[in-house]
Amino acid sequence: MFTVDEIARSLGAQVLGDRAVSVVGLAEPASAKVDELALAMSPKFADALKAGGAVAAVIWDGADWQALGLKAAIVVPRPRLAMAGLTQIFDQKAAGHGISAHAVIAEDAQIGEDCVIGPFAVIGAGAVIGAGCFIEAHVTIDAGVSIGAGSQIAAGCRIRSGVVIGQNAILHPNVVIGADGFSFVTTEPSNPEIGRRTLGRKPFEPSDDPTQHRICSLGGVVLGDDVEVGANSTIDAGTIRATQLGDGTKIDNLVQVGHNVIVGRHCLLCAQAAVAGSAKIGDRCVLGGKSGVADNTSIGADCVIGGAAIVLSDVPQGQFMMGYPALPMTKYRLREKALRQISVDATQSSKLR
């Protein structure tokens, strides 16, 4: 339970009305109960707020809180930023206590103070776990892995040898860090190699020896501080040097980051994005859902790659790319406009025949 005053001070926000009103949780305006803080940060929620039972709410700047029937209100100028603070205040995930008797921990593993390790977690020889880490059930941490203080490793995660994770990382359920990269080679040039060389002009022929020889991944993975990786995402180990993610980078669910990739600081990779091997992504980039980056390409800092866009060549700094193949937004919109006009012209021409 928190008072309106405590919440506002945490957000650095203005309070109107009775600061002593207490709330136990957050709620949408129409369904809010008398002991819940309604989230009504836009005028469109005014009617719903009046219909609900809340006496305290987070409201938009300029709202008449008394006309809305409230005893107390918190005013926020940037609602989505306020949501970050509010949800962190009320986040009540299970904390757990101590190290489970059912965890399997190597004798020479180093476990920091105040760590929580759940049942059936396995921590290998020489692993180093920083202070205050929370490791849930059925996590596997291989030999020699290093995890920084304050990190949270959710159930089912697999962290392979050669992985270094910074402080305050969050890995959601079933993340895999450090699996082998998808890297194979044939004795003779493969069809993709031949196709690139001939530009597809020559039909492919059966190979005398199609055996795919594995190129093992020896480089591991290095994650910076405050990195977050969503459920069922994978980050492959580098071949010789480490795959790297910079400080503050956040990865959504079902994202694939290939071997040798370098992702800069404070990037966002949205659901089902895929980054192929040896690509390089600059600081503060955003990859939209289902976007893709081809192998050995480079994206400059401060770029946005729109949803489902496919980057096939290098992108300079500060671009907003869309489409397949990805183009700067202005060029993409001109191309789409031209294609629509061609379609209209073709339709009209067929009607005249």
PDB file of all heavy atoms in Angstrom, residues 131-166:
ATOM      1  N   ALA A 131      26.441 -10.410  -6.422  1.00  0.00           N
ATOM      2  CA  ALA A 131      25.551 -10.238  -5.276  1.00  0.00           C
ATOM      3  C   ALA A 131      24.147  -9.849  -5.712  1.00  0.00           C
ATOM      4  O   ALA A 131      23.952  -9.118  -6.682  1.00  0.00           O
ATOM      5  CB  ALA A 131      26.114  -9.162  -4.352  1.00  0.00           C
ATOM      6  N   GLY A 132      23.156 -10.358  -4.973  1.00  0.00           N
ATOM      7  CA  GLY A 132      21.778  -9.964  -5.183  1.00  0.00           C
ATOM      8  C   GLY A 132      21.136 -10.484  -6.449  1.00  0.00           C
ATOM      9  O   GLY A 132      20.102  -9.966  -6.885  1.00  0.00           O
ATOM     10  N   CYS A 133      21.702 -11.517  -7.060  1.00  0.00           N
ATOM     11  CA  CYS A 133      21.086 -12.084  -8.267  1.00  0.00           C
ATOM     12  C   CYS A 133      19.898 -12.964  -7.894  1.00  0.00           C
ATOM     13  O   CYS A 133      19.862 -13.580  -6.826  1.00  0.00           O
ATOM     14  CB  CYS A 133      22.100 -12.907  -9.055  1.00  0.00           C
ATOM     15  SG  CYS A 133      23.304 -11.915  -9.962  1.00  0.00           S
ATOM     16  N   PHE A 134      18.923 -13.006  -8.801  1.00  0.00           N
ATOM     17  CA  PHE A 134      17.730 -13.832  -8.610  1.00  0.00           C
ATOM     18  C   PHE A 134      17.695 -14.839  -9.754  1.00  0.00           C
ATOM     19  O   PHE A 134      17.480 -14.478 -10.911  1.00  0.00           O
ATOM     20  CB  PHE A 134      16.483 -12.953  -8.618  1.00  0.00           C
ATOM     21  CG  PHE A 134      15.214 -13.701  -8.295  1.00  0.00           C
ATOM     22  CD1 PHE A 134      14.720 -13.726  -7.004  1.00  0.00           C
ATOM     23  CD2 PHE A 134      14.520 -14.386  -9.286  1.00  0.00           C
ATOM     24  CE1 PHE A 134      13.551 -14.414  -6.705  1.00  0.00           C
ATOM     25  CE2 PHE A 134      13.356 -15.079  -8.993  1.00  0.00           C
ATOM     26  CZ  PHE A 134      12.872 -15.093  -7.702  1.00  0.00           C
ATOM     27  N   ILE A 135      17.924 -16.099  -9.441  1.00  0.00           N
ATOM     28  CA  ILE A 135      17.992 -17.158 -10.445  1.00  0.00           C
ATOM     29  C   ILE A 135      16.854 -18.128 -10.166  1.00  0.00           C
ATOM     30  O   ILE A 135      16.826 -18.789  -9.126  1.00  0.00           O
ATOM     31  CB  ILE A 135      19.359 -17.862 -10.401  1.00  0.00           C
ATOM     32  CG1 ILE A 135      20.463 -16.849 -10.724  1.00  0.00           C
ATOM     33  CG2 ILE A 135      19.391 -19.039 -11.370  1.00  0.00           C
ATOM     34  CD1 ILE A 135      21.856 -17.364 -10.486  1.00  0.00           C
ATOM     35  N   GLU A 136      15.915 -18.212 -11.090  1.00  0.00           N
ATOM     36  CA  GLU A 136      14.722 -19.015 -10.871  1.00  0.00           C
ATOM     37  C   GLU A 136      14.978 -20.501 -11.150  1.00  0.00           C
ATOM     38  O   GLU A 136      16.082 -20.913 -11.501  1.00  0.00           O
ATOM     39  CB  GLU A 136      13.577 -18.480 -11.734  1.00  0.00           C
ATOM     40  CG  GLU A 136      13.128 -17.083 -11.331  1.00  0.00           C
ATOM     41  CD  GLU A 136      11.911 -16.605 -12.106  1.00  0.00           C
ATOM     42  OE1 GLU A 136      11.308 -17.405 -12.839  1.00  0.00           O
ATOM     43  OE2 GLU A 136      11.567 -15.415 -11.971  1.00  0.00           O
ATOM     44  N   ALA A 137      13.923 -21.281 -11.008  1.00  0.00           N
ATOM     45  CA  ALA A 137      14.017 -22.729 -11.161  1.00  0.00           C
ATOM     46  C   ALA A 137      14.402 -23.127 -12.586  1.00  0.00           C
ATOM     47  O   ALA A 137      14.088 -22.443 -13.560  1.00  0.00           O
ATOM     48  CB  ALA A 137      12.674 -23.371 -10.799  1.00  0.00           C
ATOM     49  N   HIS A 138      15.098 -24.273 -12.670  1.00  0.00           N
ATOM     50  CA  HIS A 138      15.421 -24.911 -13.950  1.00  0.00           C
ATOM     51  C   HIS A 138      16.275 -24.027 -14.864  1.00  0.00           C
ATOM     52  O   HIS A 138      16.189 -24.125 -16.088  1.00  0.00           O
ATOM     53  CB  HIS A 138      14.136 -25.324 -14.678  1.00  0.00           C
ATOM     54  CG  HIS A 138      13.367 -26.389 -13.972  1.00  0.00           C
ATOM     55  ND1 HIS A 138      13.704 -27.724 -14.021  1.00  0.00           N
ATOM     56  CD2 HIS A 138      12.272 -26.311 -13.169  1.00  0.00           C
ATOM     57  CE1 HIS A 138      12.858 -28.427 -13.297  1.00  0.00           C
ATOM     58  NE2 HIS A 138      11.973 -27.602 -12.765  1.00  0.00           N
ATOM     59  N   VAL A 139      17.097 -23.187 -14.283  1.00  0.00           N
ATOM     60  CA  VAL A 139      18.070 -22.409 -15.047  1.00  0.00           C
ATOM     61  C   VAL A 139      19.370 -23.209 -15.133  1.00  0.00           C
ATOM     62  O   VAL A 139      19.784 -23.833 -14.152  1.00  0.00           O
ATOM     63  CB  VAL A 139      18.333 -21.041 -14.380  1.00  0.00           C
ATOM     64  CG1 VAL A 139      19.536 -20.340 -14.998  1.00  0.00           C
ATOM     65  CG2 VAL A 139      17.095 -20.164 -14.484  1.00  0.00           C
ATOM     66  N   THR A 140      20.013 -23.192 -16.299  1.00  0.00           N
ATOM     67  CA  THR A 140      21.313 -23.828 -16.461  1.00  0.00           C
ATOM     68  C   THR A 140      22.362 -22.762 -16.753  1.00  0.00           C
ATOM     69  O   THR A 140      22.226 -22.002 -17.725  1.00  0.00           O
ATOM     70  CB  THR A 140      21.301 -24.856 -17.606  1.00  0.00           C
ATOM     71  OG1 THR A 140      20.307 -25.846 -17.345  1.00  0.00           O
ATOM     72  CG2 THR A 140      22.656 -25.523 -17.742  1.00  0.00           C
ATOM     73  N   ILE A 141      23.373 -22.692 -15.908  1.00  0.00           N
ATOM     74  CA  ILE A 141      24.477 -21.754 -16.092  1.00  0.00           C
ATOM     75  C   ILE A 141      25.749 -22.585 -16.202  1.00  0.00           C
ATOM     76  O   ILE A 141      26.165 -23.240 -15.246  1.00  0.00           O
ATOM     77  CB  ILE A 141      24.559 -20.758 -14.910  1.00  0.00           C
ATOM     78  CG1 ILE A 141      23.269 -19.929 -14.843  1.00  0.00           C
ATOM     79  CG2 ILE A 141      25.784 -19.868 -15.042  1.00  0.00           C
ATOM     80  CD1 ILE A 141      23.161 -19.051 -13.613  1.00  0.00           C
ATOM     81  N   ASP A 142      26.365 -22.584 -17.366  1.00  0.00           N
ATOM     82  CA  ASP A 142      27.487 -23.471 -17.628  1.00  0.00           C
ATOM     83  C   ASP A 142      28.764 -23.001 -16.921  1.00  0.00           C
ATOM     84  O   ASP A 142      28.836 -21.905 -16.369  1.00  0.00           O
ATOM     85  CB  ASP A 142      27.731 -23.580 -19.129  1.00  0.00           C
ATOM     86  CG  ASP A 142      26.725 -24.484 -19.821  1.00  0.00           C
ATOM     87  OD1 ASP A 142      25.908 -25.098 -19.129  1.00  0.00           O
ATOM     88  OD2 ASP A 142      26.761 -24.572 -21.066  1.00  0.00           O
ATOM     89  N   ALA A 143      29.773 -23.830 -17.014  1.00  0.00           N
ATOM     90  CA  ALA A 143      31.065 -23.555 -16.383  1.00  0.00           C
ATOM     91  C   ALA A 143      31.652 -22.244 -16.891  1.00  0.00           C
ATOM     92  O   ALA A 143      31.597 -21.938 -18.089  1.00  0.00           O
ATOM     93  CB  ALA A 143      32.034 -24.695 -16.666  1.00  0.00           C
ATOM     94  N   GLY A 144      32.203 -21.457 -15.978  1.00  0.00           N
ATOM     95  CA  GLY A 144      32.933 -20.255 -16.339  1.00  0.00           C
ATOM     96  C   GLY A 144      32.100 -19.044 -16.665  1.00  0.00           C
ATOM     97  O   GLY A 144      32.645 -17.978 -16.954  1.00  0.00           O
ATOM     98  N   VAL A 145      30.785 -19.154 -16.610  1.00  0.00           N
ATOM     99  CA  VAL A 145      29.911 -18.003 -16.899  1.00  0.00           C
ATOM    100  C   VAL A 145      30.051 -16.967 -15.789  1.00  0.00           C
ATOM    101  O   VAL A 145      30.216 -17.309 -14.613  1.00  0.00           O
ATOM    102  CB  VAL A 145      28.443 -18.460 -17.026  1.00  0.00           C
ATOM    103  CG1 VAL A 145      27.483 -17.274 -17.019  1.00  0.00           C
ATOM    104  CG2 VAL A 145      28.258 -19.288 -18.287  1.00  0.00           C
ATOM    105  N   SER A 146      29.973 -15.698 -16.168  1.00  0.00           N
ATOM    106  CA  SER A 146      30.006 -14.615 -15.188  1.00  0.00           C
ATOM    107  C   SER A 146      28.737 -13.778 -15.319  1.00  0.00           C
ATOM    108  O   SER A 146      28.397 -13.342 -16.426  1.00  0.00           O
ATOM    109  CB  SER A 146      31.239 -13.731 -15.417  1.00  0.00           C
ATOM    110  OG  SER A 146      31.239 -12.621 -14.531  1.00  0.00           O
ATOM    111  N   ILE A 147      28.045 -13.563 -14.206  1.00  0.00           N
ATOM    112  CA  ILE A 147      26.804 -12.786 -14.191  1.00  0.00           C
ATOM    113  C   ILE A 147      26.945 -11.675 -13.159  1.00  0.00           C
ATOM    114  O   ILE A 147      27.253 -11.934 -11.994  1.00  0.00           O
ATOM    115  CB  ILE A 147      25.590 -13.676 -13.868  1.00  0.00           C
ATOM    116  CG1 ILE A 147      25.445 -14.778 -14.923  1.00  0.00           C
ATOM    117  CG2 ILE A 147      24.310 -12.836 -13.798  1.00  0.00           C
ATOM    118  CD1 ILE A 147      24.328 -15.744 -14.643  1.00  0.00           C
ATOM    119  N   GLY A 148      26.692 -10.435 -13.573  1.00  0.00           N
ATOM    120  CA  GLY A 148      26.880  -9.288 -12.700  1.00  0.00           C
ATOM    121  C   GLY A 148      25.824  -9.168 -11.619  1.00  0.00           C
ATOM    122  O   GLY A 148      24.742  -9.771 -11.686  1.00  0.00           O
ATOM    123  N   ALA A 149      26.118  -8.353 -10.638  1.00  0.00           N
ATOM    124  CA  ALA A 149      25.241  -8.167  -9.480  1.00  0.00           C
ATOM    125  C   ALA A 149      23.865  -7.663  -9.887  1.00  0.00           C
ATOM    126  O   ALA A 149      23.716  -6.897 -10.837  1.00  0.00           O
ATOM    127  CB  ALA A 149      25.885  -7.184  -8.503  1.00  0.00           C
ATOM    128  N   GLY A 150      22.859  -8.113  -9.141  1.00  0.00           N
ATOM    129  CA  GLY A 150      21.500  -7.623  -9.320  1.00  0.00           C
ATOM    130  C   GLY A 150      20.770  -8.142 -10.538  1.00  0.00           C
ATOM    131  O   GLY A 150      19.695  -7.642 -10.877  1.00  0.00           O
ATOM    132  N   SER A 151      21.296  -9.141 -11.205  1.00  0.00           N
ATOM    133  CA  SER A 151      20.659  -9.668 -12.411  1.00  0.00           C
ATOM    134  C   SER A 151      19.547 -10.654 -12.068  1.00  0.00           C
ATOM    135  O   SER A 151      19.580 -11.309 -11.029  1.00  0.00           O
ATOM    136  CB  SER A 151      21.695 -10.334 -13.319  1.00  0.00           C
ATOM    137  OG  SER A 151      22.613  -9.384 -13.822  1.00  0.00           O
ATOM    138  N   GLN A 152      18.566 -10.741 -12.969  1.00  0.00           N
ATOM    139  CA  GLN A 152      17.429 -11.638 -12.791  1.00  0.00           C
ATOM    140  C   GLN A 152      17.389 -12.619 -13.960  1.00  0.00           C
ATOM    141  O   GLN A 152      17.278 -12.206 -15.110  1.00  0.00           O
ATOM    142  CB  GLN A 152      16.125 -10.851 -12.744  1.00  0.00           C
ATOM    143  CG  GLN A 152      16.070  -9.806 -11.641  1.00  0.00           C
ATOM    144  CD  GLN A 152      14.808  -8.973 -11.712  1.00  0.00           C
ATOM    145  OE1 GLN A 152      13.720  -9.491 -11.975  1.00  0.00           O
ATOM    146  NE2 GLN A 152      14.927  -7.672 -11.484  1.00  0.00           N
ATOM    147  N   ILE A 153      17.474 -13.902 -13.647  1.00  0.00           N
ATOM    148  CA  ILE A 153      17.480 -14.949 -14.668  1.00  0.00           C
ATOM    149  C   ILE A 153      16.232 -15.797 -14.470  1.00  0.00           C
ATOM    150  O   ILE A 153      16.114 -16.524 -13.479  1.00  0.00           O
ATOM    151  CB  ILE A 153      18.746 -15.823 -14.577  1.00  0.00           C
ATOM    152  CG1 ILE A 153      20.011 -14.967 -14.407  1.00  0.00           C
ATOM    153  CG2 ILE A 153      18.833 -16.733 -15.791  1.00  0.00           C
ATOM    154  CD1 ILE A 153      20.290 -14.026 -15.544  1.00  0.00           C
ATOM    155  N   ALA A 154      15.285 -15.707 -15.373  1.00  0.00           N
ATOM    156  CA  ALA A 154      13.995 -16.367 -15.200  1.00  0.00           C
ATOM    157  C   ALA A 154      14.067 -17.857 -15.517  1.00  0.00           C
ATOM    158  O   ALA A 154      15.036 -18.358 -16.089  1.00  0.00           O
ATOM    159  CB  ALA A 154      12.944 -15.691 -16.076  1.00  0.00           C
ATOM    160  N   ALA A 155      13.006 -18.538 -15.162  1.00  0.00           N
ATOM    161  CA  ALA A 155      12.953 -19.996 -15.270  1.00  0.00           C
ATOM    162  C   ALA A 155      13.244 -20.468 -16.693  1.00  0.00           C
ATOM    163  O   ALA A 155      12.769 -19.894 -17.667  1.00  0.00           O
ATOM    164  CB  ALA A 155      11.581 -20.498 -14.830  1.00  0.00           C
ATOM    165  N   GLY A 156      14.020 -21.530 -16.777  1.00  0.00           N
ATOM    166  CA  GLY A 156      14.252 -22.181 -18.054  1.00  0.00           C
ATOM    167  C   GLY A 156      15.339 -21.577 -18.909  1.00  0.00           C
ATOM    168  O   GLY A 156      15.569 -22.048 -20.028  1.00  0.00           O
ATOM    169  N   CYS A 157      16.022 -20.557 -18.436  1.00  0.00           N
ATOM    170  CA  CYS A 157      17.088 -19.946 -19.241  1.00  0.00           C
ATOM    171  C   CYS A 157      18.282 -20.892 -19.331  1.00  0.00           C
ATOM    172  O   CYS A 157      18.572 -21.643 -18.397  1.00  0.00           O
ATOM    173  CB  CYS A 157      17.529 -18.622 -18.647  1.00  0.00           C
ATOM    174  SG  CYS A 157      16.328 -17.290 -18.852  1.00  0.00           S
ATOM    175  N   ARG A 158      18.988 -20.809 -20.453  1.00  0.00           N
ATOM    176  CA  ARG A 158      20.185 -21.606 -20.679  1.00  0.00           C
ATOM    177  C   ARG A 158      21.330 -20.650 -21.040  1.00  0.00           C
ATOM    178  O   ARG A 158      21.270 -19.975 -22.058  1.00  0.00           O
ATOM    179  CB  ARG A 158      19.983 -22.610 -21.816  1.00  0.00           C
ATOM    180  CG  ARG A 158      18.746 -23.493 -21.634  1.00  0.00           C
ATOM    181  CD  ARG A 158      18.941 -24.511 -20.523  1.00  0.00           C
ATOM    182  NE  ARG A 158      17.774 -25.369 -20.370  1.00  0.00           N
ATOM    183  CZ  ARG A 158      17.070 -25.474 -19.273  1.00  0.00           C
ATOM    184  NH1 ARG A 158      17.394 -24.762 -18.208  1.00  0.00           N
ATOM    185  NH2 ARG A 158      16.040 -26.289 -19.206  1.00  0.00           N
ATOM    186  N   ILE A 159      22.346 -20.625 -20.195  1.00  0.00           N
ATOM    187  CA  ILE A 159      23.480 -19.732 -20.412  1.00  0.00           C
ATOM    188  C   ILE A 159      24.716 -20.600 -20.587  1.00  0.00           C
ATOM    189  O   ILE A 159      25.146 -21.283 -19.655  1.00  0.00           O
ATOM    190  CB  ILE A 159      23.643 -18.753 -19.235  1.00  0.00           C
ATOM    191  CG1 ILE A 159      22.334 -17.986 -19.013  1.00  0.00           C
ATOM    192  CG2 ILE A 159      24.790 -17.786 -19.505  1.00  0.00           C
ATOM    193  CD1 ILE A 159      22.335 -17.102 -17.787  1.00  0.00           C
ATOM    194  N   ARG A 160      25.274 -20.578 -21.801  1.00  0.00           N
ATOM    195  CA  ARG A 160      26.346 -21.501 -22.142  1.00  0.00           C
ATOM    196  C   ARG A 160      27.716 -20.948 -21.769  1.00  0.00           C
ATOM    197  O   ARG A 160      27.866 -19.765 -21.446  1.00  0.00           O
ATOM    198  CB  ARG A 160      26.309 -21.818 -23.646  1.00  0.00           C
ATOM    199  CG  ARG A 160      24.954 -22.308 -24.180  1.00  0.00           C
ATOM    200  CD  ARG A 160      24.424 -23.523 -23.413  1.00  0.00           C
ATOM    201  NE  ARG A 160      25.354 -24.632 -23.420  1.00  0.00           N
ATOM    202  CZ  ARG A 160      25.386 -25.583 -24.361  1.00  0.00           C
ATOM    203  NH1 ARG A 160      24.514 -25.547 -25.361  1.00  0.00           N
ATOM    204  NH2 ARG A 160      26.249 -26.568 -24.295  1.00  0.00           N
ATOM    205  N   SER A 161      28.719 -21.796 -21.831  1.00  0.00           N
ATOM    206  CA  SER A 161      30.081 -21.396 -21.488  1.00  0.00           C
ATOM    207  C   SER A 161      30.549 -20.234 -22.361  1.00  0.00           C
ATOM    208  O   SER A 161      30.147 -20.107 -23.521  1.00  0.00           O
ATOM    209  CB  SER A 161      31.033 -22.580 -21.673  1.00  0.00           C
ATOM    210  OG  SER A 161      30.740 -23.603 -20.744  1.00  0.00           O
ATOM    211  N   GLY A 162      31.402 -19.392 -21.790  1.00  0.00           N
ATOM    212  CA  GLY A 162      31.941 -18.271 -22.540  1.00  0.00           C
ATOM    213  C   GLY A 162      31.067 -17.044 -22.530  1.00  0.00           C
ATOM    214  O   GLY A 162      31.317 -16.094 -23.268  1.00  0.00           O
ATOM    215  N   VAL A 163      30.045 -17.025 -21.685  1.00  0.00           N
ATOM    216  CA  VAL A 163      29.125 -15.883 -21.623  1.00  0.00           C
ATOM    217  C   VAL A 163      29.465 -15.007 -20.425  1.00  0.00           C
ATOM    218  O   VAL A 163      29.679 -15.502 -19.318  1.00  0.00           O
ATOM    219  CB  VAL A 163      27.656 -16.355 -21.533  1.00  0.00           C
ATOM    220  CG1 VAL A 163      26.717 -15.173 -21.296  1.00  0.00           C
ATOM    221  CG2 VAL A 163      27.265 -17.094 -22.808  1.00  0.00           C
ATOM    222  N   VAL A 164      29.482 -13.702 -20.666  1.00  0.00           N
ATOM    223  CA  VAL A 164      29.686 -12.712 -19.613  1.00  0.00           C
ATOM    224  C   VAL A 164      28.487 -11.770 -19.634  1.00  0.00           C
ATOM    225  O   VAL A 164      28.183 -11.163 -20.676  1.00  0.00           O
ATOM    226  CB  VAL A 164      30.982 -11.915 -19.817  1.00  0.00           C
ATOM    227  CG1 VAL A 164      31.119 -10.829 -18.747  1.00  0.00           C
ATOM    228  CG2 VAL A 164      32.186 -12.848 -19.781  1.00  0.00           C
ATOM    229  N   ILE A 165      27.799 -11.648 -18.518  1.00  0.00           N
ATOM    230  CA  ILE A 165      26.603 -10.814 -18.413  1.00  0.00           C
ATOM    231  C   ILE A 165      26.870  -9.728 -17.377  1.00  0.00           C
ATOM    232  O   ILE A 165      27.346 -10.007 -16.282  1.00  0.00           O
ATOM    233  CB  ILE A 165      25.381 -11.659 -18.010  1.00  0.00           C
ATOM    234  CG1 ILE A 165      25.096 -12.714 -19.085  1.00  0.00           C
ATOM    235  CG2 ILE A 165      24.152 -10.770 -17.786  1.00  0.00           C
ATOM    236  CD1 ILE A 165      23.982 -13.669 -18.734  1.00  0.00           C
ATOM    237  N   GLY A 166      26.538  -8.483 -17.722  1.00  0.00           N
ATOM    238  CA  GLY A 166      26.789  -7.358 -16.832  1.00  0.00           C
ATOM    239  C   GLY A 166      25.807  -7.281 -15.679  1.00  0.00           C
ATOM    240  O   GLY A 166      25.004  -8.185 -15.439  1.00  0.00           O
TER     241      GLY A 166
END
